[in-house]
Amino acid sequence: MGFPGMTSGGVAGAMASAPATAVWSKTCQVLKRELGDATFGSWLGHAALRETAEEVCVVAATGVARDWIRNNAWRRIGELWAQHDPLGRRLDLKSRMEVESGQAFAAPVNAPVAANAPVPAQVYEVEVEAMAPVAVRQGRLQGLQERYSFDTFVSGPANEFAFAVARRVASWADGHFNPVVFHGPYGFGKTHLLNALAWEALRACPNKRVVYLSAERFTSAFVRAVQDRQTAAFKDELRNADLLLIDDVHFVAGKTQTQEELFHTLIALVEDGRRVVLTAARSPTELSDLEPRLRSHLQAGLVCGIEPADRNLRLGILERKLQTLAQQGGFHPAARPEVLQFLADRFTDSVRELEGALNTLVARVGGDIARLTLDEAQAIVRPHLSVSERRVTVDMIQKTVAEHYGMKQADLTSERRARAVARPRQVAMWLAKQITTRSLPDIGRRFGGRDHTTVLHAVRRIEQLKQEDAAIARDVDVLLRKLRG
């Protein structure tokens, strides 16, 4: 998307005298004052300027952020850009995914799509056929999943350090820490990162021996080797690896002989200059069931935490997943922003659950997902929610919100309209609409006999504030986690 009246002629020769980054910096300074810190941070704070010989482009963190910028700030950005850029360069707007994939699906989300509309090339799968046959064979024999690559891994503040470390180890770069331990909650990309690291290491050096296995497979293979009196062969198999990757190392907790074997394997590899990477559900310091000497050696390398994904990262993951599903199904990768926002707000505890919810929608409506409304998406997803979430009541929500904001539950059902009461009440109504099956009139009755239009206004207001006010967004995220246990 470009601004009318702007030209791109003469860009290459004049970049040094008028860098686009300087123009963008001045534009952002004004935007931050006009929009406020919270709104700017939510939508433009993660955007970057991409400057090449062919174009100057604002790259939004996600497609949802791109759409918000286009609908709410693009005209003003154009005015400020024209004011500060003496070269009159054309400025484009894309999402990070569009830039990475070389595609530019910048049409409005609700625009009709032709039946023969192009779909993005499949750039996210590992191109295993282009790898050396010996590397492909190694990976497939060990059960590496081809869909788990660095290209399909969506990085953000919660995981970008772990992502950078994994890429460095996979490149066989010198100066690495050994061993490397990635730890974090279930379902936030540890296995994906380990698979991606293995594939990239095999691609970079096909003649190196890369061994990947889960801690459960390590345990069962070791037990079988002991029973068959083949422990020497088992040890040779692992200790001759140039790179050993073990997933879910916490699984060996409480298994004395397995821990001892893992400890000696780890020592042998590290002392021989070979590389070891492991994943765990928690930091080694918190794995109290592991033997102290094994825990100590895990702590001696580099420990990288992977935090729960923030909202922007969850939206990015949904968009990447939708691109992949669209490529497989032959439809245009588009969905209404409010539908993606609903999924990102509802499924906060696991990326697997988040992607599973999107899979459910696509399985039900296929290529019609671009026309799926928020109410329709909620109706489809609701039966698949956990039992504990389906049992959340309005009363539980009111008690949790009141406790969070340091007030009485009775305040939420009272006639008080002070902001200190009205805003938490709106949050509670939004939560009731999101995670209970109650209708708007029923919710209104449970908040002091209010009309359903009051509840609808509260829901819409909180939806808006989640995008503009970082504090409200954090409060909602915390409350959702509390209510889901």
Side-chain angles (χ1 to χ4, degrees):
M1 173 180 292
F3 293 110
M6 291 188 182
T7 63
S8 57
V11 172
M15 284 292 181
S17 59
T21 50
V23 180
W24 178 240
S25 179
K26 292 177 182 178
T27 300
C28 286
Q29 289 174 11
V30 178
L31 286 170
K32 197 168 187 178
R33 288 198 302 270
E34 293 180 353
L35 295 173
D37 288 349
T39 301
F40 180 89
S42 295
W43 300 107
L44 282 154
H46 298 283
L49 194 74
R50 180 175 181 266
E51 182 180 3
T52 68
E54 292 78 27
E55 67 173 358
V56 181
C57 180
V58 176
V59 181
T62 67
V64 174
R66 174 206 60 203
D67 292 340
W68 186 94
I69 293 169
R70 180 173 55 228
N71 295 330
N72 298 278
W74 195 238
R75 184 180 297 276
R76 181 55 176 154
I77 289 173
E79 294 171 353
L80 294 170
W81 182 268
Q83 177 183 334
H84 292 108
D85 183 23
L87 302 178
R89 285 168 287 198
R90 175 187 175 87
L91 186 65
D92 289 325
L93 174 64
K94 298 178 183 177
S95 70
R96 182 187 301 171
M97 188 179 303
E98 289 167 349
V99 171
E100 291 176 353
S101 66
Q103 303 295 317
F105 295 110
V109 170
N110 296 325
V113 180
N116 61 349
V119 296
Q122 190 173 1
V123 296
Y124 302 126
E125 297 288 337
V126 179
E127 296 180 0
V128 295
E129 301 304 336
M131 296 170 59
V134 63
V136 177
R137 191 161 53 252
Q138 267 203 68
R140 286 176 172 165
L141 284 174
Q142 295 180 75
L144 292 177
Q145 299 186 54
E146 293 166 24
R147 63 193 177 96
Y148 286 156
S149 70
F150 283 136
D151 286 330
T152 60
F153 190 87
V154 182
S155 63
N159 59 26
E160 59 189 358
F161 178 60
F163 182 61
V165 170
R167 297 208 74 145
R168 181 166 179 79
V169 174
S171 70
W172 301 96
D174 293 331
H176 66 284
F177 295 90
N178 208 8
V180 173
V181 180
F182 298 116
H183 71 89
Y186 169 82
F188 276 102
K190 300 186 302 296
T191 297
H192 188 149
L193 205 58
L194 214 59
N195 272 259
L197 196 164
W199 278 120
E200 180 61 22
L202 286 167
R203 188 200 62 78
C205 293
N207 295 323
K208 296 275 193 180
R209 282 203 76 240
V210 176
V211 176
Y212 166 87
L213 69 168
S214 66
E216 183 178 6
R217 282 178 57 200
F218 178 94
T219 301
S220 60
F222 173 65
V223 170
R224 189 164 55 251
V226 171
Q227 292 172 343
D228 296 343
R229 299 184 179 182
Q230 296 292 324
T231 53
F234 174 83
K235 292 178 181 180
D236 288 343
E237 177 71 17
L238 296 184
R239 297 180 192 184
N240 286 326
D242 296 293
L243 171 61
L244 174 64
L245 305 115
I246 299 181
D247 202 9
D248 292 333
V249 71
H250 52 272
F251 180 84
V252 304
K255 300 174 176 66
T256 305
Q257 282 187 296
T258 304
Q259 288 188 71
E260 183 175 354
E261 181 58 33
L262 179 58
F263 169 76
H264 289 298
T265 297
L266 177 64
I267 294 298
L269 288 170
V270 171
E271 288 184 349
D272 202 28
R274 300 168 190 267
R275 308 176 185 212
V276 183
V277 183
L278 312 99
T279 71
R282 300 181 303 280
S283 170
T285 58
E286 299 173 359
L287 297 176
S288 56
D289 290 340
L290 288 185
E291 290 187 355
R293 60 178 182 172
L294 176 58
R295 189 168 65 243
S296 174
H297 275 81
L298 293 179
Q299 294 172 249
L302 178 61
V303 179
C304 304
I306 300 177
E307 300 297 326
D310 62 18
R311 192 170 189 257
N312 275 332
L313 182 53
R314 294 196 297 270
L315 286 169
I317 290 168
L318 286 171
E319 290 170 1
R320 180 64 60 86
K321 181 66 175 179
L322 184 57
Q323 286 272 13
T324 301
L325 293 173
Q327 192 280 330
Q328 294 169 349
F331 60 87
H332 188 75
R336 294 176 187 251
E338 60 267 26
V339 170
L340 295 182
Q341 290 167 356
F342 158 69
L343 295 178
D345 288 332
R346 175 59 68 89
F347 298 93
T348 60
D349 295 330
S350 167
V351 170
R352 290 193 182 96
E353 292 177 5
L354 181 68
E355 292 184 336
L358 183 60
N359 286 338
T360 299
L361 295 184
V362 172
R364 284 287 297 273
V365 302
D368 287 334
I369 191 169
R371 290 184 285 274
L372 191 71
T373 67
L374 176 59
D375 286 341
E376 291 169 340
Q378 290 174 328
I380 292 171
V381 169
R382 185 169 288 119
H384 300 275
L385 299 175
S386 65
V387 173
S388 62
E389 182 167 336
R390 291 200 299 269
R391 290 176 178 168
V392 173
T393 65
V394 174
D395 183 64
M396 290 167 59
I397 290 171
Q398 290 175 346
K399 288 179 179 177
T400 304
V401 170
E403 180 184 352
H404 180 80
Y405 285 104
M407 56 196 299
K408 297 178 181 177
Q409 184 178 350
D411 292 333
L412 298 175
T413 59
S414 71
E415 294 298 321
R416 294 180 59 190
R417 297 186 179 182
R419 186 184 181 88
V421 175
R423 187 69 77 230
R425 182 186 295 132
Q426 288 178 325
V427 169
M429 289 178 174
W430 181 90
L431 289 165
K433 175 65 170 64
Q434 293 293 312
I435 58 176
T436 75
T437 58
R438 299 293 179 184
S439 65
L440 293 179
D442 197 6
I443 293 172
R445 284 193 293 272
R446 292 164 190 271
F447 280 85
R450 287 175 164 77
D451 188 80
H452 78 280
T453 57
T454 303
V455 181
L456 183 59
H457 170 74
V459 170
R460 290 173 174 170
R461 182 60 179 149
I462 295 303
E463 283 291 345
Q464 178 184 357
L465 287 174
K466 282 197 297 127
Q467 301 171 10
E468 300 175 354
D469 189 324
I472 289 291
R474 283 194 301 271
D475 284 346
V476 167
D477 217 31
V478 168
L479 287 164
L480 282 170
R481 291 180 188 279
K482 285 182 179 179
L483 289 164
R484 291 171 183 153

